[in-house]
Amino acid sequence: MYLITIFGNLLIILAVSCDPHLHTPMYFFLTNLSFVDICFTSTTVPKMLQNIQTQSKVITYAGCVTQIYFFILFAVSDFFVLSVMAYDRFVAICYPLHYTVIMNSRLCGLLVLVSWIMFVSLFYCTILGVYLSSAAPQSSHSSAVASVMYTVVTPMLNPFIYSLRNRDIKKALRAFLVKETLHGQLS
């Protein structure tokens, strides 16, 4: 599942980067979402896989704090990028004739910047919630299942939900794969 998550999100980034027709606000935000999903998943899954492989559940205090910091950073960033994407779709649906004027590149960059800045203001509240909730007794099995669901399954499904069903992305991926296949055969 981890490899599917990484590969699917990298495909989105690659398709949007390589196709000039996809250089629109919607795909700009989608690329940011894919990047954040890769980072979000990569904060916990490699350590989890190492723990499974070595049958060890040890993590240093510094490693734990670092992992929690980046986990919360990317979780909140994911939330804000999804909020910005919702605003983009709102403008596209409610103001279709003004969409290109409203969603210019300056505003897109500003929205992404604001979503990252908002993280800083909410970071301390969310980390406090993590520490307070860790004091409550919970079943380790239900916690593990919940952890896998929001750290691996959701980021794995995002590429399928948001873009791989999209014919523009499919077209860009096909063009890229054909170009790379031909380039590989000619080399």
Side-chain angles (χ1 to χ4, degrees), residues 4-186:
I4 293 170
T5 302
I6 300 299
F7 185 68
N9 283 300
L10 281 175
L11 275 176
I12 301 303
I13 293 169
L14 185 67
V16 173
S17 299
C18 292
D19 189 342
H21 295 97
L22 299 180
H23 293 178
T24 63
M26 180 177 80
Y27 293 111
F28 173 72
F29 297 134
L30 193 59
T31 301
N32 279 278
L33 179 66
S34 292
F35 174 74
V36 170
D37 280 347
I38 289 170
C39 295
F40 176 72
T41 304
S42 296
T43 58
T44 55
V45 174
K47 178 65 177 160
M48 180 181 67
L49 293 173
Q50 177 192 8
N51 290 350
I52 292 168
Q53 184 70 25
T54 62
Q55 297 294 314
S56 170
K57 295 180 181 177
V58 176
I59 187 169
T60 64
Y61 179 75
C64 181
V65 169
T66 302
Q67 191 177 49
I68 287 173
Y69 174 82
F70 284 105
F71 180 79
I72 293 172
L73 169 76
F74 293 120
V76 173
S77 298
D78 210 33
F79 168 77
F80 284 121
V81 171
L82 287 169
S83 299
V84 168
M85 289 174 70
Y87 177 72
D88 174 67
R89 294 296 82 206
F90 166 77
V91 172
I93 292 167
C94 296
Y95 304 102
L97 299 177
H98 299 290
Y99 178 77
T100 55
V101 174
I102 295 171
M103 295 303 292
N104 58 46
S105 60
R106 183 170 170 256
L107 179 63
C108 292
L110 184 63
L111 286 172
V112 169
L113 176 65
V114 167
S115 72
W116 283 94
I117 290 172
M118 292 292 289
F119 159 77
V120 173
S121 64
L122 292 177
F123 174 73
Y124 295 103
C125 294
T126 56
I127 202 159
L128 180 64
V130 168
Y131 283 115
L132 293 177
S133 70
S134 66
Q138 298 174 354
S139 159
S140 64
H141 178 68
S142 65
S143 295
V145 169
S147 295
V148 168
M149 289 302 288
Y150 66 77
T151 58
V152 180
V153 175
T154 303
M156 180 183 74
L157 293 177
N158 277 345
F160 298 105
I161 293 169
Y162 290 108
S163 56
L164 293 180
R165 297 179 313 147
N166 181 309
R167 71 178 159 240
D168 293 334
I169 291 283
K170 287 180 185 176
K171 182 180 170 186
L173 285 173
R174 273 190 220 105
F176 176 77
L177 291 173
V178 166
K179 183 175 121 182
E180 287 302 310
T181 303
L182 289 175
H183 184 278
Q185 290 175 351
L186 295 175

